[in-house]
Amino acid sequence: MYQGLIHRYKNFLDLPEHTKIISLNEGNTPLIPMPRLSKELGCEIYIKFEGLNPTGSFKDRGMTAAISEAVGRGAETVICASTGNTAASAAAYAARAGLRSIVLIPEGKVAVGKLAGAIAYGAQVIQIQGSFDDALSLVVEITQKTPIALVNSINPFRIEGQKTAAFEICDDLNAAPDWLCLPVGNAGNITSYWAGFKQYQKGLPRLLGVQAVGSAPLVFGHTFEKPETIATAIRIGKPARGEQALEAASESKGKIIAVSDEEILSAQKILAGEGVWVEPASAAGVAGLIAESTKSQFEAKGKRVVVVCTGHGMKDPAIITESFQSPKIIPASYESLAEVIFSK
Ligand code: AN7
């Protein structure tokens, strides 16, 4: 029986002796081929659908490692700053381990499915009058001054756990893909993938990291004091692992680009149109690939491409329900039904 990613990849993960595995059988997510999008763009595209992790995002990979380490060394309380997904994941794994969890989120900027998750799993949720970056500074300060354990991706064990997504892709395809496209926020994930591919020695992809244009410090080369984007998961102006992300992109002969909110929402629709509903930030990788495909030199043409979709669409239902017409209401009669279905 599958027992989670630490169990599966133990020999590849640099975790201390004291680690006590806390798992929800995360990982082992599918690589879903996208025949229509592949045909349209002229490459072989697979989605690594990380929304199918236990709490609905890729964060569970790093969190199983971070919480397993923290609990093993006797931590009683964990804390993180979050745009939402880390919060839900930390809360779930802390609950599983019997730890107290505290999550700091930017006021009013967290999608409802993530907030609900954090509350359901029993976290103490605190809204900060500021951005994710402000919340992260506070978390760093309190974990330096008190025994509370930090589980943001500054924590090296988060990176260890998240490397496993690269291992799974290599195992599924029997090699690394030519390109790997993914959203970039605080830059823990792109750092982890690159470390994972390098360690696994099944080839190296070129990396296409994608930020939202209103929160694109790694593209424009300066921090964003007031990051903005509808993709709230990546509304981050000072990525903690920004330097590593830039290094990874350049070492891989790839790049980090920015896409607009419109391009992100359009990519979300295209993915859902092929049966894969992801949250807006998660569609950034596809948005970036599409943007690249319109250039005269489309470097991924004819290549094998894996696009990481980091979080499930159910995390942020409001982005859909607020912008679409609500479904028609009809009397409960056959005539009315036939009329709406067959009328032009
Ligand atoms: C769906 O939860 O930062 O570049 O606090 O939720 O590793 O930060 C979330 C980030 C991409 C960016 N896609 O990953 C948080 C948080 C989704 C995300 C990212 C996030 P990183």
Side-chain angles (χ1 to χ4, degrees), residues 17-18 75 119 139 154 208 228 247 277 288 303 324 333 335:
E17 208 51 43
H18 64 245
I119 294 167
V139 161
I154 309 170
L208 181 67
E228 272 313 332
E247 258 173 52
W277 181 31
K303 305 286 186 194
F324 283 65
S333 75
E335 291 71 27

Side-chain angles (χ1 to χ4, degrees), residues 57-59 81-87 114 132 152-153 162 183-190 233-234 236 279 281-282 310-311:
S57 86
F58 75 100
K59 301 288 182 182
S82 181
T83 57
N85 279 325
T86 302
K114 305 175 188 182
F132 166 84
N152 278 104
S153 61
Q162 285 177 212
V184 176
N186 211 27
N189 210 26
I190 191 169
I234 52 172
I236 294 173
E279 66 166 286
S282 279
T310 43

Side-chain angles (χ1 to χ4, degrees), residues 81-143:
S82 181
T83 57
N85 279 325
T86 302
S89 186
Y93 284 83
R96 187 80 180 176
L99 305 181
R100 175 179 175 200
S101 65
I102 305 165
V103 305
L104 272 58
I105 59 173
E107 180 188 10
K109 295 290 184 183
V110 168
V112 68
K114 305 175 188 182
L115 182 56
I119 294 167
Y121 298 123
Q124 179 178 359
V125 180
I126 303 167
Q127 300 199 67
I128 300 296
Q129 292 174 329
S131 65
F132 166 84
D133 307 286
D134 299 321
L136 185 58
S137 305
L138 288 170
V139 161
V140 168
E141 187 177 351
I142 204 160
T143 53

